[in-house]
Amino acid sequence: MAAATAPPRAATTRGSEPDRNLALDLVRVTEAAAMAAGRWVGRRDKNGADAAAVAAMRAMVGSVAMDGVVVIGEGEKDNAPMLYHGEHVGSGAAAPCDVAVDPIDGTTLTAKGMGNALSVLAVAPRGTIYDPSAVFYMDKLVAGPKAMGAVDIRAPVDANITALARAKGCATDDVTVCVLDRPRHEELARQVCRTGARIKLITDGDVAGAIMAATADSGVDLLLGVGGTPEGVIAACAVKCLGGVLHGRLAPRDDEEHRRARDMGLDPDQVLTADDLVRGEEAFFVATGITGGELLDGVRYHPDRTETDSLVMRVRSGTVRRMRSTHRLDRLSTYSAVDYRHAGTGPDRTSAEGVSVLRQLPDVAHQMVAEGRGILAIDESPKTMSSRLEKARVAATAENRRAFRELLVTTPGLHRGVSGVILADETFHQRLDDGRLFPHAVTELGMLPGIKVDTGAKPLAGASGEAVTEGLDGLRERLLHYAARGARFAKWRAVIRIGDGLPTELALRANTHALARYAALCHEVGIVPIMEPEVLMNGDHTLARCADVTSVTLLLVVRELRDAGIDLTATVLKPNMVVPGASSPETADPVTVAEETVRTLRLVVADEFVGVAFLSGGQSPDTATANLAAMQRLQAPWPLTFSFGSALTGSALAAWRGDAARLPHGQQALAERVERNAAAVRDSEAARLTRHRSRLSAWRHCTRSPSS
């Protein structure tokens, strides 16, 4: 069959190719990832397993003598940031290479203790690995060497099975077809069964399925169906070495992917072969089993050793090595940055650099409230953001939500006044026009990426007119997911209403207890929590009434945090300012608001908090900035900064209006608003000295011996 070739990538020369069997070095990387993930087998936590494998692979790949650039990042279709697209890896001391990784092919298999989960890695000369970023899924056909010239992905299923059986000299009844067990494949499975062939359904891990289909006597003759494009490209390295057949066609899921494919010059109807996906012969593939299966044995732990089973392949020579290794963890632990002996969760979890995650949290928290910088909140839900767009006469589409937030985070010089950016889940998993995921871009632009993790306020049973914030169910797993993908902090918002008989004690305790549970989970996984107990401006209450409710709310927050053992030096408080209700006839100037707000906080908020980042809470942008500036003239034991949303971005949206040509106007409006607030929180020497003395006093109190 003559398949069309893929769009060319940068050419390579003989002198730029690796000149030795790099795969023998690369297998140490997949062994490390497999041993780290192996501790999570059967724990029903695929995000925890993935995070452990990513950390181990990332720590180990830096020691490999190559100048690598990641072209397929870990879990590309899952939007994972570690080992992300475009990242430089390796020691940089050898020929330039493309690197494709998947620390766990089969995270669900790992979590459920099922077979055929692998850690895989492929390397080829720079510019030779196909870029799969435009379309996340691909229709695939994989078979062994005898099928060469006999099968064609464009042919009907029965024709391919019949042709394969003829090429192998067997009956169709003896052919086994591997298919991912997905609803989209129900018709495909029926077609396979009608031919008389056997079907092998796999729940995940189509890299393993592809390798088995290309390997003689594996028990699998053919792989068919739609799976991940990144996995297809990685598998192509192995299939080329095995001399098998791989055909693929891109399978865009929606109009957006069709557009991206067109923009990159790709044709979804084009048939791609293994040679299109990995060009040239100087490619390497390695895989290590995490859970045991037909292809490889899984990681085996013994009291004095750990055993791994790996495949090591080189396309040029066609050599396939099966490597069984024994690892002495007692010796590895004396110098390795990776902890292979524990699952890696809980308070003593270590980072890839071997540093306690909890010990890093106060440093991150200090960065969030650094002098002269605040936090940009762009974490509105799709519904709320769509409403804002419509009011600005901009079409409320996912693309416009993404485009507006790209305008915001890429504003030149934003990092000078913004320390961190709170993202919504939708934005966290979207990409900028240049292909970077939002958390990656925020980091590279000099800011900390954060994530809103609550699922919103819902009516509180037994408390008419009041709400409790939900989202604790599954929060540990979601936080692990976000942490593994680059989030450095999180936010949880509780809403407290003032009214006739409100708030009730039930509502206050329900919301403050949830905040403490959220904070504990954040610290467990290595994320700084922002605590946002917001006393709403809605109503006609007085400034004094707001002060009373804010005081009681914050007092309960602090009590719940202390009861939960939360480290306040690694926690940022995001309260409301003390102001009259929005419909109150009372008015308050900035000096009054500042004095009442700081007085209220000083009465109940512990000095140990690393900082206070105020929300604007419905105030006009100018009013919020003026109130914030007035607070800087008062003595407080914490940095007082801002964590504003629409108070910062409203003018940018009005200036942009959904017009790409007006993007500079939108960015200028944001930059001006950020600069006003950054200038408002640039501190005086007297206030800095006051806080230094307060912190010194708190430190002395904490370190005083029990007998003193």
Side-chain angles (χ1 to χ4, degrees):
M1 169 200 116
T5 57
R9 299 186 57 154
T12 59
T13 62
R14 170 63 61 185
S16 68
E17 295 179 351
D19 58 1
R20 59 198 182 90
N21 198 341
L22 192 62
L24 294 176
D25 293 327
L26 297 173
V27 74
R28 296 186 298 110
V29 179
T30 56
E31 286 175 342
M35 287 192 290
R39 294 295 187 184
W40 292 80
V41 170
R43 292 177 179 265
R44 302 183 66 82
D45 184 355
K46 66 178 185 179
N47 293 326
D50 192 43
V54 170
M57 181 173 277
R58 199 166 196 268
M60 190 64 67
V61 75
S63 66
V64 178
M66 65 177 177
D67 177 14
V69 172
V70 176
V71 295
I72 296 178
E74 185 272 330
E76 185 73 6
K77 69 177 185 291
D78 299 321
N79 302 298
M82 293 193 178
L83 295 168
Y84 57 85
H85 188 282
E87 181 176 356
H88 288 264
V89 294
S91 67
C97 303
D98 283 348
V99 179
V101 301
D102 197 348
I104 303 182
D105 177 48
T107 52
T108 300
L109 300 176
T110 302
K112 294 183 177 181
M114 301 169 68
N116 284 326
L118 307 175
S119 177
V120 298
L121 190 153
V123 172
R126 183 71 52 80
T128 61
I129 293 183
Y130 183 87
D131 182 356
S133 61
V135 180
F136 290 160
Y137 287 95
M138 171 186 284
D139 191 11
K140 305 172 193 174
L141 177 153
V142 182
K146 291 184 179 179
M148 189 69 69
V151 294
D152 186 331
I153 195 171
R154 295 168 294 194
V157 171
D158 58 348
N160 276 324
I161 292 175
T162 300
L164 177 62
R166 186 181 304 114
K168 298 190 73 168
C170 65
T172 56
D173 293 1
D174 296 326
V175 172
T176 298
V177 181
C178 183
V179 177
L180 273 171
D181 190 3
R182 299 288 188 272
R184 62 178 178 263
H185 289 151
E186 289 181 1
E187 176 57 29
L188 171 61
R190 283 193 288 268
Q191 292 180 33
V192 170
C193 291
R194 282 198 293 266
T195 69
R198 293 187 294 267
I199 191 166
K200 177 181 177 64
L201 292 175
I202 57 174
T203 58
D204 291 278
D206 63 345
V207 172
I211 295 173
M212 287 191 290
T215 302
D217 304 321
S218 68
V220 173
D221 302 291
L222 184 64
L223 178 137
L224 293 175
V226 175
T229 306
E231 289 84 349
V233 177
I234 292 173
C237 281
V239 173
K240 278 172 68 84
C241 184
L242 294 165
V245 179
L246 185 150
H247 296 168
R249 286 189 298 192
L250 298 176
R253 295 172 294 178
D254 50 34
D255 291 341
E256 172 62 20
E257 287 198 356
H258 274 285
R259 182 190 66 79
R260 288 208 302 264
R262 288 195 304 270
D263 290 347
M264 292 182 66
L266 304 177
D267 179 4
D269 294 326
Q270 178 183 357
V271 176
L272 302 167
T273 69
D275 287 331
D276 297 323
L277 299 179
V278 182
R279 297 190 292 112
E281 297 297 308
E282 199 54 75
F284 306 90
F285 173 88
V286 293
T288 301
I290 299 171
T291 59
E294 297 96 327
L295 186 64
L296 289 168
D297 291 332
V299 180
R300 296 183 179 183
Y301 297 96
H302 304 277
D304 60 340
R305 69 193 188 281
T306 296
E307 297 174 351
T308 57
D309 188 17
S310 304
L311 284 174
V312 181
M313 304 185 190
R314 187 179 189 183
V315 174
R316 175 187 284 181
S317 63
T319 301
V320 179
R321 292 180 173 90
R322 182 84 175 263
M323 293 182 61
R324 297 181 182 272
S325 304
T326 300
H327 310 268
R328 289 285 302 273
L329 299 189
D330 57 337
R331 296 186 181 180
L332 278 176
S333 64
T334 62
Y335 63 86
S336 176
V338 182
D339 183 3
Y340 299 112
R341 294 178 294 180
H342 305 95
T345 189
D348 296 324
R349 186 168 62 89
T350 57
S351 69
E353 292 76 25
V355 179
S356 168
V357 169
L358 282 185
R359 288 202 300 271
Q360 296 176 356
L361 293 184
D363 292 338
V364 175
H366 276 287
Q367 293 177 51
M368 292 167 63
V369 294
E371 183 184 347
R373 300 172 83 194
I375 297 167
L376 173 63
I378 53 172
D379 57 338
E380 302 97 331
S381 68
K383 181 179 179 181
T384 301
M385 190 65 236
S386 292
S387 176
R388 289 189 61 201
L389 290 174
E390 289 171 347
K391 289 178 181 177
R393 298 184 178 180
V394 178
T397 64
E399 171 55 23
N400 280 338
R401 293 194 296 270
R402 186 207 65 78
F404 179 57
R405 284 159 170 165
E406 175 169 349
L407 175 156
L408 299 174
V409 302
T410 58
T411 295
L414 184 64
H415 67 283
R416 289 194 288 270
V418 170
S419 60
V421 181
I422 310 173
L423 301 169
D425 179 82
E426 177 185 56
T427 313
F428 194 89
H429 294 104
Q430 288 175 327
R431 295 175 182 272
L432 275 63
D433 286 337
D434 61 12
R436 290 179 295 173
L437 290 163
F438 268 84
H440 305 167
V442 169
T443 300
E444 292 169 5
L445 291 167
M447 297 167 288
L448 298 167
I451 178 70
K452 176 188 175 184
V453 296
D454 68 74
T455 57
K458 306 295 168 57
L460 176 61
S464 178
E466 295 185 289
V468 62
T469 300
E470 296 185 349
L472 289 172
D473 289 347
L475 181 57
R476 175 182 282 109
E477 291 73 23
R478 287 188 287 121
L479 285 169
L480 283 166
H481 170 88
Y482 293 130
R485 288 150 178 79
R488 305 299 300 279
F489 66 93
K491 191 201 85 170
W492 181 287
R493 176 176 180 253
V495 293
I496 306 298
R497 292 186 173 90
I498 297 178
D500 186 15
L502 303 181
T504 62
E505 183 178 357
L506 174 62
L508 287 170
R509 293 197 178 278
N511 278 290
T512 56
H513 181 68
L515 277 165
R517 290 181 61 192
Y518 144 78
L521 288 168
C522 283
H523 281 176
E524 179 181 292
V525 305
I527 283 180
V528 172
I530 291 181
M531 317 287 290
E532 184 178 349
E534 179 180 3
V535 177
L536 298 175
M537 283 183 64
N538 302 10
D540 59 0
H541 52 270
T542 64
L543 181 144
R545 175 65 172 149
C546 179
D548 289 344
V549 174
T550 300
S551 177
V552 172
T553 301
L554 295 178
L555 177 63
L556 288 175
V557 168
V558 173
R559 284 182 180 175
E560 289 284 356
L561 292 176
R562 290 202 185 281
D563 288 346
I566 302 302
D567 180 6
L568 301 184
T569 69
T571 305
V572 174
L573 183 64
K574 181 177 178 177
N576 54 280
M577 299 180 192
V578 175
V579 295
S583 56
S584 171
E586 181 184 4
T587 60
D589 59 59
V591 172
T592 302
V593 170
E595 290 175 347
E596 285 300 309
T597 300
V598 173
R599 182 190 65 82
T600 299
L601 266 62
R602 293 202 66 173
L603 284 173
V604 294
V605 175
D607 288 358
E608 299 100 293
F609 270 103
V610 72
V612 176
F614 288 100
L615 56 90
S616 56
Q619 302 176 82
S620 73
D622 288 339
T623 300
T625 303
N627 291 339
L628 186 66
M631 292 182 207
Q632 307 307 314
R633 305 184 183 98
L634 304 174
Q635 293 185 348
W638 335 267
L640 303 177
T641 188
F642 59 91
S643 178
F644 293 170
S646 58
L648 291 177
T649 64
S651 58
L653 179 56
W656 173 55
R657 301 201 297 264
D659 183 352
R662 296 188 58 80
L663 183 145
H665 300 283
Q667 292 186 329
Q668 182 179 353
L670 175 64
E672 290 174 355
R673 181 56 61 183
V674 167
E675 174 53 29
R676 291 182 191 177
N677 285 278
V681 299
R682 290 189 185 116
D683 212 353
S684 68
E685 185 63 33
R688 284 201 300 274
L689 181 59
T690 297
R691 282 200 297 274
H692 171 73
R693 287 171 177 166
S694 265
R695 290 185 181 282
L696 184 60
S697 174
W699 176 81
R700 285 172 176 163
H701 174 75
C702 293
T703 57
R704 190 176 299 147
S705 66
S707 60
S708 61

